[in-house]
Structures are given as structure tokens and as C-alpha cells.
């Protein structure tokens, strides 16, 4: 999984440096192959939790999941990750990221404010914004203001 994410990063960098149809095609093919590999793992073993494959590979699996175009697969994995978090086999932020991703893709408000609209550079709508930082703290995420400062500094 880690090697696959490294390949995705290289293909993404190439597509940004040289946004040609060929570079975009290579990135799409890379992400399709990564998603298929993850589907196979999930079919055979369930979600690749940190206790099963190690923390780096589990995090890489999440990155692959976030880049797949298959929302149905993402929703299935979101639920597997939620159960793994409840069982203590997966870090809570993993669920926060995939839960928000799925919510935004389904046109619903997100729970943790992890998805940022690239056009407005603001978070997509958030469910119950008055308790957002409390939910973020509960899953080990920094307050939203801190995340936004970090994004502005790195952007």
C-alpha cells in the first residue's frame, strides 16, 4: 500500500507539473490500479487495520480509498473503518477523514470539517458547527482554526 501511495504522489506531481492528457491518464490509471488492489484486500481480509498491516500501510490504504472514484466502495469501507475504530484497531482520524469525504460526496454536511473546498479555500458545510471542535478533539484532530492556519501556511 505504501509503495502504491508513493506511485500516486509521483503521478500527481507529474500531472501538476505537466498537465497533459497523458499525465492525467497515467494518474487515473495509477489510482484505478490502487483502488482495485485495495478492493481485493478488503474482499479477502476486511479493512487493512494498523494491527493487521501496520500503521503506515493502513494510512496508505486510507489515502488510496480517498482517491478512488467508487463512492459505493468508499461508503462500505467507511463503515468497516468505523467498526475498526470502535474496536481500537484503527486510528479515529481515519474514520473522520472518510466520513467527511463520503458526506461531502453525498451532498451532506460533514462531521469533522476535514474537507476543504479548493475553490473557496473554506471547509465544505459542517453539521452542527457549534460543536465541531469538540468532535474534532474527540477523534484526535486539532481545532478547525488551527487546521486552516496550517493549510494557509503550506498552500
Amino acid at each position: 500500500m505504501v509503495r502504491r501511495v508513493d506511485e500516486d504522489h509521483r503521478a500527481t506531481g507529474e500531472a501538476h507539473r505537466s498537465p497533459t492528457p497523458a499525465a492525467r491518464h497515467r494518474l487515473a490509471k495509477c489510482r484505478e490500479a490502487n483502488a482495485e488492489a485495495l478492493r481485493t484486500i478488503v474482499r479477502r481480509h476486511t479493512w487493512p487495520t494498523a494491527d493487521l498491516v501496520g500503521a503506515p500501510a493502513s494510512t496508505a490504504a486510507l489515502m488510496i480509498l480517498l482517491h478512488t472514484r467508487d463512492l459505493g466502495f468508499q461508503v462500505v469501507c467507511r463503515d468497516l473503518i468505523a467498526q475498526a475504530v470502535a474496536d481500537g484497531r484503527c486510528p479515529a482520524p481515519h474514520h473522520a477523514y472518510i466520513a467527511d469525504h463520503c458526506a461531502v460526496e453525498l451532498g451532506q454536511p460533514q462531521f469533522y470539517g476535514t474537507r476543504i473546498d479548493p475553490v473557496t479555500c473554506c471547509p465544505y458545510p459542517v453539521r452542527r458547527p457549534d460543536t465541531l471542535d469538540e468532535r474534532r478533539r474527540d477523534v484526535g484532530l486539532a481545532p478547525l482554526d488551527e487546521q486552516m492556519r496550517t493549510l494557509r501556511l503550506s498552500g
Side-chain angles (χ1 to χ4, degrees), residues 10-134:
R10 280 192 294 278
T12 300
E14 179 186 335
H16 284 141
R17 284 187 304 277
S18 176
T20 64
R24 286 191 301 271
H25 179 74
R26 281 190 292 279
L27 177 58
K29 284 297 187 192
C30 174
R31 288 183 173 173
E32 286 172 26
N34 289 350
E36 189 52 41
L38 182 57
R39 274 189 207 87
T40 299
I41 290 168
V42 170
R43 263 193 311 273
R44 290 182 184 164
H45 307 285
T46 195
W47 181 254
T49 58
D51 66 324
L52 184 66
V53 299
S58 184
T59 298
L62 176 65
M63 299 310 299
I64 289 169
L65 182 63
L66 291 169
H67 286 157
T68 185
R69 293 176 169 252
D70 185 348
L71 181 57
F73 179 59
Q74 290 172 328
V75 168
V76 166
C77 289
R78 175 200 63 196
D79 297 343
L80 293 172
I81 294 168
Q83 186 59 54
V85 168
D87 294 343
R89 297 177 298 114
C90 196
H94 286 202
H95 181 256
Y97 281 100
I98 191 60
D100 279 358
H101 178 85
C102 290
V104 169
E105 294 303 311
L106 291 167
Q108 301 168 352
Q110 55 182 329
F111 299 92
Y112 303 99
T114 63
R115 288 281 308 271
I116 307 300
D117 184 330
V119 174
T120 65
C121 295
C122 293
Y124 285 100
V126 175
R127 181 174 306 194
R128 296 190 322 264
D130 53 317
T131 59
L132 173 63
D133 283 336
E134 189 176 318

